[in-house]
Amino acid sequence: MQLVNNSEWRSRTGFTEIILVGFGNAEEWNLLLFLLFLAIYILTLFGNLLILALVVTQQHLHTPMYFFLANLSFLEVCCTSTILPRMLKSFVTEDKTISLWGCILQMHFFFTLTAAECYLLAVMSYDRYLAICRPLHYVTLMNERKCTLLVTLSWLIGCLLIIILTGLLSQLTFCNQYKIDHFFCDFTPLVRLSCGDTWVIETAAFITSSIGTLPTFLTTVTSYVFIIGTILKIPSITGRKKAFSTCSSHLTVVSIYYGSLIFVYILPSTGQFRDLKKTFSFLYTILTPLANPFIYSLRNKEVKDTLAKVIYRFGVCSGIHKKMMDASSCKKLSNHC
C-alpha cells in the first residue's frame, strides 16, 4: 500500500493541521498541568528505566520473568514518550495544533506499542503459567532462545497489525472538520474526520484489533485460571502465598490495563460517555506506565531486595567511607551485600 506524497495529500484535504482539544479550555491551569505532567513523565522514565537497569546489570535477575519485565518497561517508556512530550509542549506554548501527518504518526507508533504490549503481557502470563503449573519443565520450555523469540514476535505482530491501518488511513479524504476532542491522536476520532467512505478501514480496524486483543486476552485469562487452580491445590498457606506472590504484580497490571481498554473501546463515544472514555484513556496511556514499575517493585520481594542492596552499596562506596577504603575492600563489601 503506497503512502501519498505531500502535494497529493494537500489536494485531498482542506487543512494540514489538527487541533487536539485536550482537557478543554483551561488555559489558566496550563502551568499547573505542565508541572503535573512533567512530574508524571519524569517519574515514569525514572521508574521504568530503573527496572530496566536493574535487570540488565544484576546477574541473578537474568531470568525469563525479569527479561519480559525489562521489555515491558522499555515499551512503557516508548509508549509514554509518544504522547507526553507533545502534550507538555502544548501547555508551554498554548498551541494545541499538530500536523495531519504528525497526528497519523503519533497514532501509528502509539498503537504499535499498545499491540506489542498486549502480546507481551500474554507472554508474561504464559511464563507464570509454566513456572507455577509446570515447574519441572520450566527451564527447558522457557529457555533463552524461546524468550527472545516470543518478545520478537510481540514486536513484529504489533508493527504488522498497525502498519495496515496507517496505510489505509493515509488514503482517506479529509474534510474541514479539524478538531479532535482528545489529548492524543486516537484512531477512531481521526477516522471520523474523513468525509469519504470509511467502511474498509473500519472493517480492517475491527479485524486487526480482534487479532491484537482477543488471543492475548484469552491467553491471559486461561493462564490465570490454571495458575489459580494450581495455587489452591497447594496444601500449606505459606506455599500458596509464595506461589501467588510471583504473579500478583503481573495480575494487577493486566487487570488495570485490560479493564481500561474495555471501557475505552467498548463504551459508545457519545454524550456522557465521551468524558468517561477520556478519563480511562488517561488511565491506560499515562497512569499505567507510571504505576507499573512501582507495582512490580513494591509487590516483588526480589526486586525490592535488589534495589535496596544497590542503593546501600552505592551509598557506602560513594560516600565518606570511600576515602577510607581501597578498591578491593569496596568490592568485597559489594559482594557481601
Side-chain angles (χ1 to χ4, degrees), residues 175-212:
C175 302
N176 289 324
Q177 304 173 41
Y178 54 88
K179 285 187 178 182
I180 292 180
D181 186 13
H182 217 318
F183 56 86
F184 77 104
C185 294
D186 202 356
F187 175 78
T188 302
L190 190 54
V191 170
R192 286 178 180 166
L193 296 181
S194 173
C195 52
D197 185 8
T198 60
W199 181 85
V200 173
I201 191 170
E202 287 179 352
T203 303
F206 175 77
I207 294 171
T208 54
S209 61
S210 298
I211 296 172

Side-chain angles (χ1 to χ4, degrees), residues 62-328:
H62 291 180
T63 62
M65 182 175 77
Y66 293 108
F67 173 71
F68 297 135
L69 178 57
N71 278 274
L72 179 64
S73 294
F74 178 70
L75 263 174
E76 299 289 30
V77 168
C78 295
C79 201
T80 306
S81 296
T82 62
I83 295 176
L84 278 180
R86 191 235 143 245
M87 190 186 295
L88 291 171
K89 174 180 172 290
S90 71
F91 290 139
V92 173
T93 62
E94 297 186 359
D95 180 11
K96 296 183 178 182
T97 62
I98 183 173
S99 69
L100 200 50
W101 268 112
C103 194
I104 290 175
L105 287 176
Q106 186 189 63
M107 185 278 304
H108 172 78
F109 286 118
F110 176 76
F111 281 102
T112 295
L113 295 165
T114 301
E117 185 167 348
C118 286
Y119 274 88
L120 185 58
L121 289 173
V123 167
M124 293 173 76
S125 301
Y126 177 65
D127 171 69
R128 292 299 82 207
Y129 159 75
L130 291 178
I132 293 173
C133 301
R134 303 185 65 183
L136 298 178
H137 302 91
Y138 179 70
V139 176
T140 55
L141 290 174
M142 194 58 75
N143 53 47
E144 184 178 350
R145 182 181 176 184
K146 184 171 285 187
C147 290
T148 305
L149 178 63
L150 289 170
V151 169
T152 304
L153 283 175
S154 298
W155 280 94
L156 285 176
I157 293 171
C159 290
L160 291 174
L161 288 176
I162 305 305
I163 202 169
I164 296 170
L165 296 182
T166 305
L168 290 171
L169 194 59
S170 70
Q171 306 298 314
L172 292 179
T173 301
F174 290 88
C175 302
N176 289 324
Q177 304 173 41
Y178 54 88
K179 285 187 178 182
I180 292 180
D181 186 13
H182 217 318
F183 56 86
F184 77 104
C185 294
D186 202 356
F187 175 78
T188 302
L190 190 54
V191 170
R192 286 178 180 166
L193 296 181
S194 173
C195 52
D197 185 8
T198 60
W199 181 85
V200 173
I201 191 170
E202 287 179 352
T203 303
F206 175 77
I207 294 171
T208 54
S209 61
S210 298
I211 296 172
T213 57
L214 192 58
T216 58
F217 180 74
L218 290 176
T219 300
T220 301
V221 171
T222 304
S223 296
Y224 274 103
V225 167
F226 282 106
I227 287 170
I228 292 171
T230 301
I231 290 175
L232 291 176
K233 292 178 184 177
I234 298 174
S236 68
I237 296 176
T238 304
R240 286 199 292 266
K241 285 183 177 179
K242 185 177 180 181
F244 188 71
S245 68
T246 64
C247 60
S248 60
S249 300
H250 180 256
L251 182 59
T252 303
V253 169
V254 166
S255 300
I256 295 172
Y257 190 76
Y258 278 108
S260 303
L261 283 179
I262 289 170
F263 272 100
V264 171
Y265 295 107
I266 295 214
L267 287 176
S269 301
T270 56
Q272 60 183 351
F273 292 109
R274 185 181 292 116
D275 291 334
L276 186 61
K277 289 183 70 169
K278 193 184 292 187
T279 302
F280 278 99
S281 293
F282 176 76
L283 178 63
Y284 93 91
T285 58
I286 295 175
L287 289 188
T288 301
L290 170 66
N292 282 357
F294 296 100
I295 292 172
Y296 278 106
S297 60
L298 293 176
R299 298 177 67 89
N300 188 305
K301 187 177 185 299
E302 195 167 8
V303 173
K304 284 193 294 185
D305 290 345
T306 301
L307 183 58
K309 288 176 182 178
V310 170
I311 293 172
Y312 177 76
R313 190 165 61 213
F314 179 79
V316 171
C317 291
S318 300
I320 299 174
H321 295 287
K322 187 176 180 181
K323 298 176 183 179
M324 304 167 59
M325 296 161 45
D326 57 20
S328 60

Side-chain angles (χ1 to χ4, degrees), residues 46-57:
F46 175 77
N48 285 288
L49 290 176
L50 179 62
I51 286 183
L52 186 59
L54 286 176
V55 174
V56 170
T57 58

